[in-house]
Amino acid sequence: MCTGESLPTASLTIPLGPNGQNGEKGEKGIKGDFGAGGYPGFPGERGSSGSKGEKGETGSTPSLQKVIFSVARTSNFGPASNDVAVPFQHTFTNIGGHFNLGTGRFTCPVSGYYHININVHKRRDTGPGPFVVLKKNTADVVHIDECCESDPYDTASNTVIIHLNRGDELWLKLVAGRTFSATSGKQSTFNGFLLYED
């Protein structure tokens, strides 16, 4: 018969058994997606200044020196019994003052490359035409031989670009027995200028 009272419950405790053996290692899982990028870090401190570099080599400077000469004869010269240097009588220009009219010599003031031009005139009535040699000190550079006897008047020329060292001399040698013709028209000239310094 139910009287409405609760009956006492019994407490049952089951003891734990011993630990089991570890299971086998499972297969490697699929690689996960990359996580979102982190926020930029704060700027680091400024590094110390490096040591001063060595001074560079001095660069070359362009030439400012101007050397130009242009001279002429105004009368015949020769013939002579021996080879002889040709003097000149008229100056068109002599920038730097390195050409000597009396000796007919240009003395190089600065080493470099020079443009040299020679013009010689022949008049048949003055004797054998000119045979002229451009000389660099004692060495031959170029020859001009105007030996044509059929023309009463003629002009020959030659041009060369030559390297000169400071102190070198350029001059014209007239070969013995030949005539360097000229008049007030200044047909026979000797010209040169510095292209650039070494």
Side-chain angles (χ1 to χ4, degrees):
M1 180 174 53
C2 182
T3 61
E5 294 180 358
S6 61
L7 297 175
T9 59
S11 177
L12 179 63
T13 301
I14 301 173
L16 296 175
N19 291 333
Q21 295 181 352
N22 292 333
E24 294 182 0
K25 184 176 182 180
E27 295 181 359
K28 185 176 182 180
I30 299 173
K31 186 175 182 180
D33 296 330
F34 285 105
Y39 293 105
F42 294 105
E45 295 183 1
R46 183 175 180 177
S48 57
S49 299
S51 58
K52 186 176 180 179
E54 296 181 0
K55 185 177 180 179
E57 296 181 0
T58 302
S60 59
T61 55
S63 170
L64 299 178
Q65 187 159 349
K66 296 179 180 179
V67 183
I68 306 172
F69 71 89
S70 183
V71 297
R73 281 202 61 85
T74 57
S75 65
N76 297 330
F77 181 72
S81 57
N82 298 305
D83 295 347
V84 62
V86 178
F88 287 84
Q89 300 160 299
H90 177 80
T91 301
F92 295 107
T93 186
N94 190 16
I95 296 176
H98 303 292
F99 193 92
N100 186 308
L101 280 180
T103 64
R105 292 176 184 256
F106 166 71
T107 303
C108 174
V110 56
S111 298
Y113 287 86
Y114 288 77
H115 181 281
I116 305 297
N117 169 258
I118 308 142
N119 300 287
V120 296
H121 182 59
K122 183 205 75 173
R123 291 172 56 94
R124 191 170 60 187
D125 59 357
T126 62
F131 184 177
V132 175
V133 181
L134 173 64
K135 304 285 285 187
K136 174 185 173 182
N137 302 319
T138 59
D140 292 3
V141 180
V142 294
H143 294 186
I144 304 177
D145 188 1
E146 178 49 82
C147 61
C148 180
E149 298 297 333
S150 61
D151 298 330
Y153 305 100
D154 213 344
T155 300
S157 65
N158 209 333
T159 299
V160 65
I161 295 174
I162 187 172
H163 181 270
L164 298 176
N165 291 315
R166 183 177 180 181
D168 283 344
E169 290 187 333
L170 288 181
W171 53 285
L172 299 183
K173 180 184 78 173
L174 179 64
V175 173
R178 307 295 283 268
T179 302
F180 197 93
S181 301
T183 69
S184 59
K186 309 176 185 68
Q187 300 92 338
S188 295
T189 62
F190 186 17
N191 317 284
F193 59 89
L194 172 66
L195 289 172
Y196 65 88
E197 296 182 27
D198 285 348

